Amino acid sequence: MMKHFLILSSIISLSLFSSDKVGRLPVYRIAVEATSSSKEAITIRDFIREKIQSTGRGLVTPTLKESELGVWEFDKEGNPSEKTIISLERLTSTDKLLLVSTEDGQAVISFVDVLHKKVEYRTSLPDSLSKTLVSDFLGFLDKKNIYLALSETGSGSPNAQLRINSLKSTYIAGEPIRFEIESAEDNYVYVVLIPENQKGEPVLLFPNQFQNDNFIRKGDRVTIPDKRISFKASSTPSKDRIRAFASREEWKEFQLRGKKEDSFYRLLPPAVTGTKASIKPMVASNTLTASIEQSPVMEWEYQILSR
């Protein structure tokens, strides 16, 4: 049975997080392991563990037991072998698996999504550039953490900061999606599309390249997107989420990616596989993640049906 949504008049009700999620930042549980016994691989592994733990970028899980180590084999597209799938299924208390190895004078880092059984990130550099290798990876992890914050956090508030009008709970593939947002106070407003199952990149719907002023004064109403932009339900059936954040401060730390012809911004770069990451670490990622977590958020889910 299709999930129904509570609608009060024409306003979608808020889906605020309970108090147990307020005041803490979600982080991935990361197992960091060396797949080779070389001194270089062990050194890099220990250094990454320390950096992740000391900077709060993740919760480093205890070293895997011999029975959990298993086999770690992935093809060029990042897909695991059958034996590796069995090994990943044993990691019930781990979100991500970071594998470090050294071979032929190269240091290699592979970052595996345990749930979806897929390599998200893989890059290599000469052993002499291991610090750059680690820095590139931490930059990627910073952006993954921001994605997690956008997807899973938000502080509850007894008084709703935002109101949404004219949003339906179901759309037909290709159908235009447009809604109106109103702020109960003067706020910077950020509206983000979260793809189903977090498999895709988050998309910033507002502000966008045509509506670049996202400061909404009390009582003002803004249509998102405006008539200059086309935002349509995806061509395949799915169940996506849209989250709207109200912030007293502008999130200046956002690193956005978009071409001139794009209407909306991508918040994260695509996963890097087999090449050196060219992404600079986000210096203020912890600040931005905290800002996201502390901002009141409203969330709604809509289902896309096939034609």
Side-chain angles (χ1 to χ4, degrees), residues 6-280:
L6 178 63
I7 302 179
L8 302 177
S9 301
S10 60
I11 302 172
I12 302 299
S13 63
L14 303 187
S15 176
L16 293 171
F17 286 90
S18 58
S19 59
D20 64 336
K21 287 201 176 185
V22 177
R24 69 176 179 85
L25 301 179
V27 291
Y28 293 112
R29 298 169 298 176
I30 304 174
V32 184
E33 300 295 333
T35 59
S36 60
S37 58
S38 69
K39 180 180 179 181
E40 292 80 5
I42 300 299
T43 299
I44 296 172
R45 180 202 65 185
D46 293 345
F47 182 68
I48 292 178
R49 277 181 176 171
E50 191 280 328
K51 290 298 290 185
I52 292 176
Q53 194 73 50
S54 65
T55 59
R57 285 181 166 99
L59 176 62
V60 178
T61 63
T63 302
L64 297 179
K65 301 176 183 178
E66 288 188 11
S67 60
E68 297 174 314
L69 286 175
V71 177
W72 310 120
E73 298 174 341
F74 300 88
D75 61 21
K76 292 182 179 180
E77 285 70 42
N79 299 307
S81 66
E82 292 185 4
K83 291 183 178 180
T84 298
I85 290 176
I86 295 174
S87 299
L88 290 172
E89 288 175 345
R90 297 196 190 108
L91 304 181
T92 56
S93 60
T94 301
D95 302 313
K96 308 289 182 179
L97 174 64
L98 180 61
L99 301 172
V100 180
S101 65
T102 54
E103 50 191 59
D104 300 326
Q106 294 280 312
V108 183
I109 286 179
S110 299
F111 194 53
V112 184
D113 185 316
V114 175
L115 176 62
H116 297 112
K117 299 178 177 62
K118 180 81 172 182
V119 173
E120 292 184 294
Y121 171 99
R122 181 167 55 207
T123 190
S124 64
L125 282 176
D127 290 344
S128 59
L129 297 177
S130 58
K131 288 187 177 180
T132 301
L133 183 75
V134 173
S135 178
D136 286 345
F137 166 71
L138 292 177
F140 176 83
L141 182 56
D142 284 343
K143 294 175 175 63
K144 292 295 294 184
N145 282 334
I146 290 172
Y147 185 2
L148 183 63
L150 289 169
S151 303
E152 302 298 339
T153 67
S155 60
S157 173
N159 298 314
Q161 293 288 307
L162 301 174
R163 302 174 66 187
I164 304 294
N165 299 314
S166 306
L167 187 74
K168 301 190 301 181
S169 59
T170 60
Y171 291 87
I172 303 299
E175 181 181 358
I177 299 176
R178 183 167 280 111
F179 51 92
E180 185 181 78
I181 194 164
E182 178 181 352
S183 180
E185 302 292 340
D186 292 353
N187 283 308
Y188 287 95
V189 176
Y190 296 86
V191 182
V192 182
L193 168 65
I194 307 296
E196 186 176 26
N197 298 326
Q198 300 184 22
K199 287 186 177 180
E201 300 176 40
V203 178
L204 186 65
L205 301 179
F206 182 80
N208 53 63
Q209 293 195 10
F210 290 93
Q211 297 170 290
N212 51 30
D213 183 2
N214 64 319
F215 184 75
I216 301 180
R217 296 194 177 278
K218 179 179 179 179
D220 287 353
R221 297 183 178 185
V222 177
T223 299
I224 302 174
D226 69 10
K227 294 181 179 180
R228 294 172 292 177
I229 310 175
S230 176
F231 174 41
K232 296 181 179 180
S234 63
S235 57
T236 56
S238 63
K239 188 177 290 184
D240 297 340
R241 290 183 295 147
I242 292 179
R243 311 194 83 214
F245 296 83
S247 174
R248 297 290 185 180
E249 304 293 331
E250 185 177 7
W251 294 350
K252 296 181 180 180
E253 299 90 350
F254 255 144
Q255 287 188 351
L256 306 173
R257 179 171 59 85
K259 301 177 182 178
K260 290 183 178 180
E261 61 270 20
D262 293 338
S263 299
F264 306 112
Y265 293 113
R266 297 284 178 173
L267 300 180
L268 300 177
V272 178
T273 302
T275 59
K276 177 183 177 298
S278 60
I279 305 151
K280 294 181 179 179

